[in-house]
């Protein structure tokens, strides 16, 4: 039995508080990649694009390990978050995956200081391995599209970055068949 003006103020304050909580929840969902990629950086990041990645890991072991880790975290997200927040988290994880892969490549390239020799022992093999890694990661996110249709439009956009880098490397190596 509050006065009308107090009820209106209480409702307005409650709506504002709900808006703050909602935006904080979305921010948290989009920030989950920070915690997901910590163990990925430690286990996979240090080995990606090294000689063993090129020579020994013919089944794209590191990309598969990355995807399995993402799947494990995805199951936890589905268990603890509502569907809307899971989609926000997965979109963030997809972008983080592309950034992680690109960052690892650039970190390895930064170590290479010889202009006479390529970084990779066999450039074609390394480019083929990259193609397969990209395919593994992209297919994982594409497999989530039936449950999360909002991902579809972002997959091509996010993975275009890695594909462009790959194409530029192919052109530089003289292995590209494109008209670029």
């Amino acid at each position: 039995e509050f006065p009308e003006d107090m009820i209106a103020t209480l409702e307005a304050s409650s709506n504002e508080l709900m808006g703050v909580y909602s935006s904080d929840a979305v921010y948290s969902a989009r920030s989950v990649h920070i915690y997901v990629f910590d163990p990925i950086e430690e286990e996979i990041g240090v080995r990606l694009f090294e000689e063993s990645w090129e020579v020994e890991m013919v089944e794209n072991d590191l990309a598969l390990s990355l995807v399995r880790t993402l799947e494990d975290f995805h199951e936890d997200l589905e268990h603890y978050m509502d569907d809307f927040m899971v989609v926000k988290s997965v979109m963030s994880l997809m972008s983080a995956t592309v950034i992680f892969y690109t960052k690892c490549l650039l970190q390895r390239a930064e170590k290479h200081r010889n202009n006479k020799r390529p970084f990779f022992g066999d450039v074609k093999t390394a480019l083929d391995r990259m193609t397969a890694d990209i395919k593994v990661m992209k297919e994982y996110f594409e497999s989530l599209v039936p449950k999360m249709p909002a991902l579809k439009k972002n997959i091509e956009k996010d993975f275009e970055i890695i594909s462009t880098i790959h194409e530029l490397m192919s052109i530089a190596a003289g292995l590209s068949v494109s008209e670029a």
Side-chain angles (χ1 to χ4, degrees), residues 18-19 21-32 74 77-92 147-151 153-154:
M18 286 301 292
Y21 283 153
S22 294
S23 64
D24 285 352
V26 170
Y27 177 79
S28 297
R30 287 183 173 168
S31 299
V32 75
H74 183 210
L77 294 174
E78 284 185 327
H79 183 73
Y80 292 107
M81 293 178 153
D82 68 24
D83 293 342
F84 177 76
M85 294 301 171
V86 171
V87 171
K88 294 294 183 191
S89 295
V90 171
M91 284 184 178
S92 175
K147 289 172 72 174
M148 300 178 213
L151 283 179
K153 67 178 180 177
N154 292 336

Side-chain angles (χ1 to χ4, degrees), residues 41-154:
E41 289 262 356
E42 290 175 16
E43 287 298 315
I44 297 169
V46 295
R47 298 173 19 211
L48 199 56
F49 302 111
E50 293 294 328
E51 186 178 351
S52 61
W53 167 83
E54 179 184 347
V55 177
E56 298 167 17
M57 298 185 189
V58 295
E59 299 295 324
N60 301 90
D61 303 336
L62 294 178
L64 289 169
S65 179
L66 185 143
V67 165
R68 276 189 235 108
T69 304
L70 291 175
E71 287 172 337
D72 289 345
F73 277 104
H74 183 210
E75 288 174 15
D76 292 341
L77 294 174
E78 284 185 327
H79 183 73
Y80 292 107
M81 293 178 153
D82 68 24
D83 293 342
F84 177 76
M85 294 301 171
V86 171
V87 171
K88 294 294 183 191
S89 295
V90 171
M91 284 184 178
S92 175
L93 289 171
M94 183 170 53
S95 295
T97 299
V98 170
I99 291 167
F100 166 76
Y101 196 82
T102 304
K103 182 178 93 173
C104 288
L105 177 62
L106 293 174
Q107 285 174 335
R108 298 304 177 267
E110 200 172 62
K111 291 180 183 178
H112 184 64
R113 300 281 185 222
N114 188 335
N115 292 336
K116 307 248 187 277
R117 276 185 323 116
F119 177 76
F120 297 110
D122 183 344
V123 175
K124 182 174 180 349
T125 300
L127 289 170
D128 290 345
R129 187 87 63 245
M130 281 182 71
T131 299
D133 282 353
I134 294 166
K135 182 180 179 202
V136 165
M137 294 180 293
K138 191 174 179 180
E139 284 178 350
Y140 166 68
F141 290 105
E142 287 172 340
S143 74
L144 299 175
V145 168
K147 289 172 72 174
M148 300 178 213
L151 283 179
K152 187 173 178 83
K153 67 178 180 177
N154 292 336

